[in-house]
């Protein structure tokens, strides 16, 4: 936006914009963000904030060649691009290609309506990669189909986004019925809805389960939007919701090689009260050890969320076929499976994770290239 007027106070610059709104910039902010304080190549800040006065004294301001030129009493002159000032709307976050509002779903999401994308265009074109990632971010789940029939085909798609997240189960994992399993997923038993690895300090973000074979009787998949269940609980039972947000519980995994534990709540909110994470895994929840005064209420709250995970109102069911891969935000969407009978056929999923930060970075990079391609 263009500037209509500049008003100089010793400690503040007041910019009046063409739309008649105005923004007050404290001089300490202006000096902290003066382009001269950044490394010319890396654009990282070199300026030492403590080397400045607490409130540098501004003496004049004028517009020249798209910059606001500011002079200070200590002799410093700043050339602040107008775009830098106009991008700053005090109290509002800068725009971010990753800021995709979750669209909550319940049983309205079905095998027929779950977003579906073919693997080949995702691998070949940024435009298709972007469309798939946008949908996955919005709904927390999507299916990629027509994958090549090789174990690494799903990983190739995941790596279009970024680095894989390594965990104590490896960089990739084979979900098959194994002898001597260290995880229920590696058996043929049913897995009720859960999030993976809530016992980690930061549980893995996006999960990729590439189906190579699903020939056995049973073995269907189930999913539910953990944010939708949390929001409904917030409305129906605010006290239960509060306890699930405020009381940390222990989550633990241990085997011969690892003992990984945290205390965290089932529901995590951001500072504005939006649900940003669900940790729910009845198998990995440790022994509840909150004070006895709150334990009965906590159990009531925990069971209320658990009851939602059993309620068909929230449930998406489908049976993955060879060549399909389900991709979901493991910190939002709960997943599970029906038991299967290994005597009736082979079932093999190949899994990996990509953390949310990697996903967000790719979305921002795509916003640069895909929108540049559109503009050209
Ligand atoms: C897992 C898991 C689901 C399945 O590996 O974490 O939940 O369908 N697997 O086997
Ligand atoms: Zn799982």
């Amino acid at each position: 936006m263009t500037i209509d007027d500049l008003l100089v106070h010793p400690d503040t610059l007041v910019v009046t914009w063409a739309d008649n709104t105005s923004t007050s910039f404290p001089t300490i902010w202006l000096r902290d963000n003066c382009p001269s304080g950044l490394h010319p190549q890396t654009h990282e800040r070199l300026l030492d904030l403590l080397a400045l006065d607490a409130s540098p004294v501004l003496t004049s301001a004028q517009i020249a060649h798209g910059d606001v030129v500011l002079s200070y009493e200590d002799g410093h002159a700043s050339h602040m691009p107008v775009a830098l000032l106009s991008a700053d709307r005090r109290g509002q976050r800068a725009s971010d290609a990753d800021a995709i509002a979750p669209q909550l779903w319940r049983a309205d999401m079905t095998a027929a309506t779950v977003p579906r994308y073919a693997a080949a265009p995702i691998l070949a074109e940024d435009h298709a990669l972007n469309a798939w990632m946008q949908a996955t971010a919005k709904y927390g789940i999507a299916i990629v189909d027509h994958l090549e029939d090789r174990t690494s085909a799903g990983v190739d798609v995941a790596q279009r986004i970024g680095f894989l997240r390594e965990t104590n189960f490896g960089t990739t994992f084979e979900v098959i019925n194994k002898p001597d399993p260290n995880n229920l997923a590696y058996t043929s038993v049913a897995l009720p809805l859960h999030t993976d690895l809530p016992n980690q300090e930061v549980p893995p973000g996006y999960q990729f389960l590439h189906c190579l074979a699903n020939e056995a009787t049973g073995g269907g998949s189930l999913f539910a939007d953990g944010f939708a269940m949390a929001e409904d609980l917030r409305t129906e039972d605010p006290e239960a919701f509060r306890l699930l947000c405020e009381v940390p519980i222990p989550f633990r995994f241990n085997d011969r090689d690892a003992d990984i534990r945290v205390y965290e709540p089932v529901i995590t909110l951001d500072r504005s009260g939006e649900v940003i994470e669900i940790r729910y895994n009845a198998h990995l929840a440790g022994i509840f050890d909150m004070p006895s005064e709150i334990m009965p209420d906590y159990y009531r709250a925990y069971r209320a969320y658990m009851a939602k995970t059993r309620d068909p109102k929230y449930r998406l069911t489908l049976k993955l076929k060879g060549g399909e891969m389900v991709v979901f935000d493991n910190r939002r969407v709960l997943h599970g499976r029906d038991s299967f009978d290994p005597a009736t056929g082979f079932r093999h999923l190949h899994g990996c994770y990509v953390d949310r930060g990697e996903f967000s970075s790719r979305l921002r990079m795509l916003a640069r290239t895909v929108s540049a391609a559109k503009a050209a």
Side-chain angles (χ1 to χ4, degrees), residues 173 175 185-186 191 194 196 207 209 219-221 335-337 347 349 353:
F173 48 91
V175 187
Y186 305 155
L191 297 175
H194 64 279
D196 274 9
Q207 177 162 184
L209 288 173
S221 298
H335 65 286
R337 68 152 187 246
R347 184 177 191 274
L349 308 185
Y353 307 107

Side-chain angles (χ1 to χ4, degrees), residues 132 154 158 161 206-210 325-327 350-354:
W132 161 60
I161 299 173
Y206 285 86
Q207 177 162 184
F208 300 73
L209 288 173
H210 168 204
M325 175 165 73
V326 62
V327 184
H350 188 70
C352 65
Y353 307 107
V354 172

Side-chain angles (χ1 to χ4, degrees), residues 180-306:
D180 193 22
N182 64 345
N183 181 328
L184 281 173
Y186 305 155
T187 68
S188 60
V189 304
L191 297 175
L193 286 169
H194 64 279
T195 62
D196 274 9
L197 311 193
N199 58 303
Q200 292 271 357
E201 180 186 9
V202 179
Y206 285 86
Q207 177 162 184
F208 300 73
L209 288 173
H210 168 204
C211 178
L212 287 138
N214 207 357
E215 309 300 335
T217 306
S221 298
L222 32 144
F223 301 93
D225 185 346
F227 287 6
M229 295 188 289
E231 288 303 343
D232 287 357
L233 189 68
R234 179 173 2 216
T235 312
E236 295 159 14
D237 191 343
E239 181 56 15
F241 179 83
R242 188 187 66 78
L243 286 165
L244 293 179
C245 293
E246 290 180 6
V247 179
I249 58 168
F251 291 97
R252 178 179 189 188
F253 171 85
N254 71 107
D255 66 0
R256 280 190 294 265
D257 303 318
D259 186 341
I260 306 170
R261 320 177 191 184
V262 293
Y263 275 85
E264 292 292 345
V266 170
I267 301 172
T268 301
L269 304 180
D270 69 10
R271 284 176 194 81
S272 57
E274 297 290 325
V275 177
I276 50 166
E277 169 154 29
I278 303 293
R279 293 184 196 239
Y280 178 82
N281 190 319
H283 304 301
L284 296 182
I287 298 172
F288 292 176
D289 52 5
M290 66 277 297
S292 357
E293 306 87 80
I294 61 167
M295 195 172 269
D297 285 344
Y298 189 81
Y299 266 107
R300 194 184 67 75
Y302 188 70
R303 285 165 54 98
Y305 195 81
M306 186 179 255

Side-chain angles (χ1 to χ4, degrees), residues 29 155 320 343 353 362 365:
W29 184 94
V155 169
L320 289 170
Y353 307 107
R362 176 61 56 214
M365 298 307 290

Side-chain angles (χ1 to χ4, degrees), residues 347-373:
R347 184 177 191 274
H348 178 194
L349 308 185
H350 188 70
C352 65
Y353 307 107
V354 172
D355 275 335
R356 278 184 179 173
E358 287 297 313
F359 195 98
S360 301
S361 168
R362 176 61 56 214
L363 272 178
R364 297 187 190 109
M365 298 307 290
L366 287 166
R368 290 189 202 174
T369 55
V370 172
S371 51

Side-chain angles (χ1 to χ4, degrees), residues 47-69:
L47 173 97
D48 175 10
L49 188 58
L50 286 182
L52 300 176
D53 283 344
S55 190
V57 176
L58 185 62
T59 52
S60 75
Q62 57 215 336
I63 298 177
H65 312 294
D67 287 344
V68 175
V69 182

